[in-house]
């Protein structure tokens, strides 16, 4: 049986809903920016800047597989504007946390994406 459950929400409205909701699931001092991907209508680009002295920033590609499920991929990690090795334990822990927060945000937005 083919999957017919597709995302039917306007991408700009979805990005706006994410922009409102994602900060509520992140650490209070982290900053997030959510943009609609211009090439793919079911993709959002998420930029998260960590708080504090670390100055890390993370870029994620969030793809809607269907109206409820998202696939999250890390695109880039930077520190003070320079690429860093994302395989360190500290960065892996942050990546795991942010991926979990992104999934949490997607769950909170099920009412919007149905």
């Amino acid at each position: 049986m083919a999957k017919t459950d597709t995302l039917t929400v306007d991408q700009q409205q979805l990005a706006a809903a994410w922009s409102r909701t994602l900060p509520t699931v992140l650490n209070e001092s982290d900053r997030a920016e959510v943009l609609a991907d211009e090439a793919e209508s079911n993709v959002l680009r998420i930029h998260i800047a960590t708080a504090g002295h670390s100055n890390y920033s993370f870029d994620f590609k969030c793809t809607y597989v269907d109206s409820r499920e998202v696939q999250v991929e890390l695109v880039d990690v930077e520190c003070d504007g320079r690429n860093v090795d994302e395989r360190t334990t500290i960065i892996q822990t942050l990546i795991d946390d942010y991926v979990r927060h992104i999934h949490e945000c997607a769950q909170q937005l099920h009412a919007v994406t149905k």
Side-chain angles (χ1 to χ4, degrees):
M1 187 168 91
K3 256 191 169 177
T4 57
D5 179 19
T6 57
L7 187 65
T8 57
V9 170
D10 175 75
Q11 192 183 27
Q12 296 300 329
Q13 288 178 324
L14 186 61
W18 271 81
S19 293
R20 286 189 304 273
T21 307
L22 187 57
T24 68
V25 298
L26 293 176
N27 294 323
E28 208 173 284
S29 48
D30 289 343
R31 291 183 323 279
E33 181 181 16
V34 182
L35 300 170
D37 185 289
E38 294 178 10
E40 299 175 84
S41 63
N42 64 327
V43 173
L44 297 172
R45 298 291 176 164
I46 299 172
H47 177 81
I48 299 173
T50 60
H53 301 295
S54 61
N55 284 332
Y56 286 121
S57 66
F58 298 82
D59 291 310
F60 294 95
K61 177 182 179 182
C62 180
T63 305
Y64 270 87
V65 178
D66 57 33
S67 69
R68 297 178 66 87
E69 183 185 348
V70 294
Q71 176 184 355
V72 181
E73 294 171 63
L74 176 71
V75 176
D76 190 33
V77 181
E78 293 183 349
C79 181
D80 287 326
R82 293 186 306 280
N83 285 349
V84 295
D85 181 358
E86 67 262 9
R87 294 171 296 197
T88 66
T89 304
I90 292 170
I91 293 179
Q92 281 299 311
T93 301
L94 285 168
I95 291 168
D96 291 345
D97 282 350
Y98 288 134
V99 168
R100 192 172 61 253
H101 291 316
I102 290 168
H103 280 286
E104 198 178 318
C105 183
Q107 285 181 331
Q108 288 188 19
L109 291 171
H110 280 173
V112 174
T113 59
K114 277 197 242 175

